[in-house]
Amino acid sequence: MRIAIGGIATECCTFSPILSREKDFVVQELEDILDDERYPFLKEAEAEIFPTFRARALPGGQVERATYENFKARFLDHLQAALPLDGLYLDMHGAMNVEGMDDAEGDWYASARKVVGQDCLISASYDLHGNLSERILQNLDMLTAYRTAPHVDTLETRSKAFSMLVTCLEQNIRPEKVWIPVPVLVAGERSSTEYEPAASLYAKLGDVDPIPGIMDASILVGYVWADEPRATASIVLTGTDRIVMEREAKKLALEYWKTRDEFGFSVPHGSIKEAIDWALTQDNNCLFISDSGDNPTAGGVGDRVDFLKALLEHKVENAVLGGIADETATMACYAAGLGETVELSLGGSLDKATMPLPLTAKVLFLKETSELRERIAVAQVEGVTVVISHKRRPFHEEADFLALGINPEDYKMIVVKVGYLVPDLKRIAKGIYLALSPGVVDQAIERLPYSRWQRPRFPLDKNFFWYPELK
Ligand SMILES: [Zn+2]
């Protein structure tokens, strides 16, 4: 068996003003792709593996067209060189949007299909926050997606996509797919599988998979911050018995549709002001507040200062803000030096909806990791300890703070640019609050200027009839 491996993975918020360019991606080609930690299952595979091209980036804005075309050309060149192929495994995300191209994954697969031919089987692993299209389903032979959000089953999902491919090749099966788009699209924070209704919906997949004739059943919540026609939730089944697959897909789709009103936040939530008021009435330290509208791992810009402004206005003492992406301000802190006072014009320059915040800060900590060429400064602004990074990045782990000399337990509240709290911060949090702060990944999606979704689509539209139909 000759199997090629490759892919491209990112999540693109079409409301973001920042284009994702080549420098934002981690690119691996040929042998570099064969990472034992990411693909431990390849070692045991009784197949000849041909690594091609893989790129991945932190969620952000649309991918620059030239970057995409360059990546695609490199991928197709390596694919061509690996011919003839029996199978192709693509390690994807599923919510990429390229300048002037709405269905980027569809383009990627259609281009790959032209190279590998109709007989080659193509399998893809997805994030459950991916959007599908007819062209995607026409060119893929099988697909499986994460079943957990926060995502803790990423390895299992990649492994399953690969093993389904091997099984089909060994048994000479060309699988069928059944896809039902469900006209519901909610943010990941409303559909965490740690809470209802997503917990029960995803638990059902474990009962569907073992049904004879079904190889995989997947539910995709979809990616809400893409203003593109294909954006919606999906039920996708891969298998061999079309009748059974259609029956089970319709059941899952109907369940999803019926629970649409129940997708809520499951944690205390409210405005920035309400979040601060909440924290000030709690007895504990180590309270975590999500500045959710500016979460870089959902595609947020990461330089908004709405929360910092509010903390200063409320004269909050003993708070941490992690973090604000601002290259100029980071460099100004480095130029000033440790323990020095510096005038900053902080954040608010990438997200054009905001303005930089002028302030006086004392430099507490400077971090430089030569390996990543990454600079991070910690500065004290009145009662708030602010983390300022030269690159857009998340601070989503306890270790991210400890490495900066910040022990979250010593602070009353820690404001993090995140959506739902990732497990590592949840573990240490003595209280959790989701602030529905503004930004390009605003949780209150009705505040965003959608114009290209297919309508009706819940929750932008509420009163309409729908019944599962196969695509
Ligand atoms: Zn995701």
Side-chain angles (χ1 to χ4, degrees):
M1 271 191 290
R2 295 169 62 90
I3 299 178
I5 168 171
I8 183 163
T10 188
E11 190 176 77
C12 304
C13 169
T14 59
F15 300 111
S16 169
I18 313 173
L19 282 182
S20 299
R21 300 176 199 273
E22 179 148 4
K23 66 171 174 48
D24 299 310
F25 283 83
V26 175
V27 175
Q28 292 166 308
E29 287 182 85
L30 301 171
E31 303 300 317
D32 285 349
I33 297 176
L34 301 176
D35 169 349
D36 285 348
E37 267 179 47
R38 192 165 180 90
Y39 309 113
F41 46 86
L42 292 180
K43 276 189 292 190
E44 287 120 56
E46 287 180 20
E48 209 179 334
I49 304 296
F50 296 86
T52 59
F53 175 95
R54 184 162 189 275
R56 65 176 193 278
L58 187 71
Q62 284 187 306
V63 178
E64 181 193 40
R65 184 66 178 250
T67 295
Y68 173 79
E69 296 295 349
N70 171 322
F71 286 173
K72 188 172 83 172
R74 285 150 74 180
F75 166 57
L76 296 178
D77 274 354
H78 294 314
L79 203 55
Q80 185 81 44
L83 294 177
L85 288 166
D86 302 300
L88 169 60
Y89 161 55
L90 294 171
D91 180 2
M92 305 295 286
H93 177 291
M96 176 168 57
N97 183 298
V98 174
E99 276 184 299
M101 186 191 280
D102 276 328
D103 181 22
E105 283 86 2
D107 179 72
W108 189 268
Y109 305 143
S111 309
R113 175 61 76 193
K114 269 192 206 142
V115 172
V116 299
Q118 287 305 321
D119 291 340
C120 177
L121 293 184
I122 308 182
S123 176
S125 55
Y126 261 63
D127 186 306
L128 61 86
H129 300 121
N131 294 326
L132 298 179
S133 72
E134 205 146 338
R135 191 162 54 149
I136 288 174
L137 274 298
Q138 276 165 1
N139 286 291
L140 287 182
D141 292 289
M142 60 202 93
L143 174 162
T144 184
Y146 300 158
R147 295 178 174 193
T148 58
H151 312 310
V152 292
D153 62 338
T154 57
L155 176 57
E156 289 92 327
T157 307
R158 289 191 291 270
S159 172
K160 186 169 188 191
F162 185 78
S163 71
M164 279 203 296
L165 176 63
V166 170
T167 304
C168 288
L169 289 172
E170 279 172 351
Q171 301 179 6
N172 206 15
I173 296 168
R174 175 135 232 162
E176 305 247 13
K177 293 141 298 173
V178 167
W179 170 43
I180 304 182
V182 184
V184 174
L185 189 44
V186 296
E189 282 63 27
R190 291 177 178 270
S191 48
S192 162
T193 57
E194 290 184 350
Y195 304 106
E196 294 299 347
S200 294
L201 282 169
Y202 277 86
K204 288 182 202 301
L205 299 181
D207 300 329
V208 180
D209 273 354
I211 297 174
I214 294 178
M215 296 164 71
D216 177 81
S218 288
I219 299 173
L220 278 80
V221 166
Y223 178 65
V224 75
W225 294 292
D227 189 17
E228 58 183 19
R230 66 176 189 172
T232 198
S234 287
I235 307 295
V236 197
L237 269 64
T238 302
T240 50
D241 187 335
R242 192 153 199 105
I243 292 171
V244 173
M245 287 158 66
E246 287 180 3
R247 182 190 72 207
E248 295 302 320
K250 279 183 177 169
K251 274 203 265 182
L252 288 169
L254 206 54
E255 283 295 328
Y256 201 93
W257 171 249
K258 277 192 202 156
T259 52
R260 65 192 181 283
D261 281 317
E262 294 163 34
F263 289 109
F265 290 115
S266 306
V267 292
H269 55 278
S271 66
I272 292 177
K273 184 184 180 305
E274 286 164 336
I276 294 172
D277 289 344
W278 165 82
L280 293 175
T281 58
Q282 305 294 305
D283 293 331
N284 291 323
N285 265 10
C286 206
L287 305 165
F288 277 84
I289 301 175
S290 301
D291 180 3
S292 65
D294 200 29
N295 169 19
T297 58
V301 171
D303 85 330
R304 289 190 68 125
V305 288
D306 314 68
F307 225 114
L308 177 59
K309 239 164 127 177
L311 290 167
L312 297 173
E313 275 164 17
H314 284 73
K315 304 210 178 305
V316 172
E317 293 296 321
N318 207 21
V320 173
L321 188 101
I324 290 173
D326 187 327
E327 189 173 352
T328 311
T330 307
M331 294 315 176
C333 290
Y334 277 78
L338 213 52
E340 299 300 322
T341 298
V342 60
E343 299 296 322
L344 297 177
S345 178
L346 187 60
S349 61
L350 299 174
D351 188 329
K352 300 294 176 203
T354 61
M355 294 285 286
L357 188 62
L359 44 80
T360 307
K362 187 177 177 200
V363 182
L364 298 184
F365 194 93
L366 298 170
K367 179 176 187 251
E368 190 157 10
T369 319
S370 55
E371 202 183 320
L372 298 166
R373 295 188 307 278
E374 181 179 50
R375 289 186 153 193
I376 305 171
V378 179
Q380 190 67 29
V381 184
E382 297 173 34
V384 187
T385 305
V386 188
V387 178
I388 309 167
S389 59
H390 100 276
K391 278 199 304 195
R392 218 180 127 252
R393 55 152 289 169
F395 294 88
H396 288 181
E397 310 274 334
E398 185 188 22
D400 293 335
F401 291 99
L402 295 177
L404 300 171
I406 296 171
N407 185 350
E409 285 176 12
D410 296 339
Y411 293 84
K412 180 72 188 172
M413 61 186 96
I414 304 98
V415 178
V416 185
K417 290 188 188 290
V418 66
Y420 41 53
L421 220 52
V422 300
D424 192 58
L425 291 185
K426 206 172 165 187
R427 176 179 59 79
I428 58 167
K430 297 281 186 326
I432 296 174
Y433 197 98
L434 182 79
L436 306 176
S437 49
V440 298
V441 292
D442 198 328
Q443 293 286 336
I445 63 161
E446 58 285 353
R447 296 195 290 217
L448 292 167
Y450 288 97
S451 64
R452 306 191 60 239
W453 274 12
Q454 283 182 45
R455 307 291 285 267
R457 177 82 73 246
F458 182 88
L460 295 187
D461 305 295
K462 293 209 167 58
N463 298 311
F464 64 100
F465 173 82
W466 181 79
Y467 194 77
E469 267 177 72
L470 300 166
K471 277 282 238 184

